[in-house]
Amino acid sequence: MRIYIADINDTLRTIAKKFNFSIETLLSLNPNITNPDHEVAGVQICLPPDSHRSPPFSDIPNCANPFLYPFEYYLDQWIPLTSIEEMASKEYDFIIAGTGFGGGAVLWRLCEKWRNTGKRIAVIEAGDLVLPTNMNNIPTLNGDRNMRFFTNPKRWRTISTVNSISLDESTPLKSSPYYFNEFFGLGGRSLFWGAVTPRMHPIDIAQWPVSLKEMNRYYTISEQMMNVSTEYVKNSTFSEILLNRLLNNGFPETSLLPIAADTQPTQFGNVHSNVFFSSLEFFAWALSLSSFDLAVRARVAKVLTDQGKTVGVEVMSRDKKKYHIKGKNVVLSASTFETPRILLYSGIPGKAIGHYFTTHSRVEGMVNFLTADFPEILGTAGVLIPRTTEREYQIQIGYNAYLYELIPRAMQEDVWFGASGVIESRYENYVSLNPDKVDDYGIPELEIQFSYSLKDKEVIQQMIEGIKSASVAAQGLLRSLCLGDPGLVYHDMGTCRMGIDPATSATNPDGQIHGIQGLYVADNSVIPTSGAANNTLTTVALATRTADKIMKHF
């Protein structure tokens, strides 16, 4: 530390300039001087050592300019992509086919556990880049614009059932078949799902080859990753009042709706902008943990095996060129329809592959409420009447029926009551290849054999009565009631169900195809029985568990 006696007309600023120190440094050393421009003649000024002297302008290096000093490679899109040609020149430890919730969860878990190990992972998506987040996070995709965007036939493939469905033995079959839909795009259906995430009821899990204790462990892991809670609808006056009415009028199990929504505020530089969860958040986590190659517009047509071991996949580009991607392990996460289609077209043996197809039956009601019975600010409605031992269905109330606050507000509002029912897992419901009809790639199209059993029809009748009772308990007026097309529920599952017996299941309890080393399934298709709960949380839990089993065996 040095002392300088200020001359006439000196200020702290002129002294800083004279001795080539920063004004901030002198202010910190001379706290008694609060104004750097006041004259300080005769005052003792503390000066720092010469090492603190500011370097001449010419000695300061230029800041790095990213436009002059290029990166090793640039991004053309919002996520790094790899060409299928480049993939064909490598050999991977793991190949993941499909990028929905199952594929995303497996990728995240592998990258989390195998960071910095050098393991090579390839991810292949048949669709293109569509959106970087769930559509509910995008302001321009609200109202009916979201469905006009996602029902575009460029992104969908429709599969019809061979037979139609009747409600009872005396009712003739409906004249038109039912339709099931496949969506193609990075992130799959996670881009537009409703984010409702209840757990399966223990009575349904009791039939599975996975214990309830283990399922609860993976449910907890998945809920934490997906931000599942009831916070989104908590304290919404409409939800709370409907909840209390149902609790007090015959539905004591009712709860607020669990939703995969990040409700944390953006603060301390931590941005919480993606409220509704999608598989792309799994990809974001994976990118921060490890490296992987991702190809889009590349369709996995076949799994390649040699003497009971997986050796890779055959992939077709949009221009119909075939590529062989070498891999020691393959995880099929292509969907309840596309995964068995790949297995069947590959000639993978298995009596149960494609069979035991199930979904949820659906009864929908619109219930009218007088808004005068509620406080001024309604909020949204999100309530769940869960499945119980006696009740083989659940009722989901109001979610996605956003009640925008209009001035003046409407005198009455319609709220959606949707019941989802258990459907029996039967060998007679299945998907199969149609050798007489092929797609643009020369691959046989799928056809679906699906019908309700007598038990299923009994549950549907119970759902009808259940919605009537729930509407009365909630003190609303049931305006309409209809039977939903099962193809529009989007809860399809079971075509590669897990189990112990190869005669009645496609995979073992770890998700590996019976008899084929290194070939796994991680999507809705492995769920053994339908239950009544929305199946996304269960898909993520089982996929995460399968990833852990893979790493243990590997």
Side-chain angles (χ1 to χ4, degrees), residues 133-238:
T133 184
N134 186 304
M135 72 173 182
N136 292 305
N137 298 324
I138 300 176
T140 57
L141 284 178
N142 61 9
D144 69 342
R145 287 189 293 274
N146 52 24
M147 292 313 296
R148 285 194 280 131
F149 180 81
F150 276 103
T151 55
N152 188 322
K154 296 177 182 177
R155 306 181 186 97
W156 286 93
R157 180 168 64 211
T158 299
I159 315 161
S160 64
T161 56
V162 173
N163 68 318
S164 299
I165 306 165
S166 65
L167 277 183
D168 56 61
E169 296 304 317
S170 62
T171 304
L173 293 176
K174 296 184 179 181
S175 58
S176 60
Y178 279 78
Y179 297 93
F180 292 85
N181 300 298
E182 290 187 277
F183 176 80
F184 295 94
L186 183 68
R189 292 182 188 172
S190 77
L191 298 181
F192 61 94
W193 74 306
V196 179
T197 44
R199 297 186 179 191
M200 287 276 191
H201 193 280
I203 195 173
D204 298 311
I205 296 174
Q207 307 172 48
W208 297 2
V210 183
S211 70
L212 178 60
K213 180 180 179 181
E214 192 172 14
M215 279 303 303
N216 283 336
R217 177 188 171 219
Y218 281 99
Y219 273 142
T220 300
I221 292 171
S222 303
E223 287 166 342
Q224 291 173 347
M225 277 301 297
M226 300 170 71
N227 305 307
V228 175
S229 73
T230 59
E231 291 297 313
Y232 183 78
V233 295
K234 186 178 180 180
N235 298 325
S236 171
T237 55
F238 204 4

Side-chain angles (χ1 to χ4, degrees), residues 37 66-67 91 116 120 168 238 271 294 314 318 327 346 384 435 447 454 519:
D37 297 310
F67 296 96
E91 182 172 358
N116 303 320
R120 284 189 168 184
D168 56 61
F238 204 4
V271 178
L294 168 65
E314 179 183 285
R318 287 291 175 93
S346 305
L384 179 70
E447 59 184 23
L454 290 176
L519 179 56

Side-chain angles (χ1 to χ4, degrees), residues 84-135:
I84 202 66
E85 290 84 1
E86 183 179 345
M87 280 189 178
S89 67
K90 301 178 181 180
E91 182 172 358
Y92 293 93
D93 295 296
F94 274 90
I95 299 172
I96 301 172
T99 60
F101 277 119
V106 170
L107 175 66
W108 153 69
R109 195 65 166 177
L110 293 179
C111 288
E112 179 189 49
K113 299 296 184 180
W114 278 344
R115 65 179 81 182
N116 303 320
T117 61
K119 297 289 191 299
R120 284 189 168 184
I121 301 173
V123 184
I124 301 172
E125 167 58 49
D128 207 342
L129 301 182
V130 180
L131 293 175
T133 184
N134 186 304
M135 72 173 182

